[in-house]
Amino acid sequence: MKENNVLVVCGETGSGKTTQVPQFILDDMTESGCGGNCNIICTQPRRIAAISVAERVADERCESSPGSDGSLVGYHVHLDSARNERTKLLFCTTGG
């Protein structure tokens, strides 16, 4: 991560690549003083997956709902968006 701008994560189902790895990266960047430069995008195969994962991750982080003022987590699905200028972890999809 410190040497590359893009990271692709592959792993088994249930391994935490969608919910845990992005949080570890965000927390590490924040703790190292680079949180302002951190923008993480996680793609999901379906609309409902992107929204429910964003809600779950916000809950795990003890943040308010995705896209609200107190949350760093958001989602963007077609024309439906819940994000703001503070969003650092965005779940999105181009699928149905």
Side-chain angles (χ1 to χ4, degrees):
M1 282 296 305
K2 299 197 184 334
E3 298 172 10
N4 299 290
N5 291 328
V6 176
L7 174 69
V8 177
V9 178
C10 300
E12 297 293 323
T13 300
S15 64
K17 59 192 174 292
T18 298
T19 58
Q20 300 300 307
V21 171
Q23 293 184 73
F24 293 149
I25 295 169
L26 178 58
D27 292 342
D28 181 65
M29 294 290 286
T30 301
E31 290 170 11
S32 68
C34 298
N37 298 323
C38 185
N39 291 299
I40 301 169
I41 299 173
C42 290
T43 59
Q44 296 296 300
R46 293 175 309 283
R47 174 185 186 278
I48 192 68
I51 295 171
S52 63
V53 168
E55 290 171 345
R56 174 180 166 187
V57 170
D59 186 59
E60 286 180 4
R61 298 181 63 78
C62 299
E63 296 182 358
S64 51
S65 55
S68 63
D69 289 338
S71 182
L72 298 175
V73 180
Y75 65 83
H76 185 90
V77 179
H78 298 292
L79 300 176
D80 186 12
S81 181
R83 61 183 186 167
N84 60 47
E85 61 280 347
R86 288 194 60 215
T87 300
K88 295 294 179 187
L89 177 50
L90 184 70
F91 294 92
C92 62
T93 186
T94 55

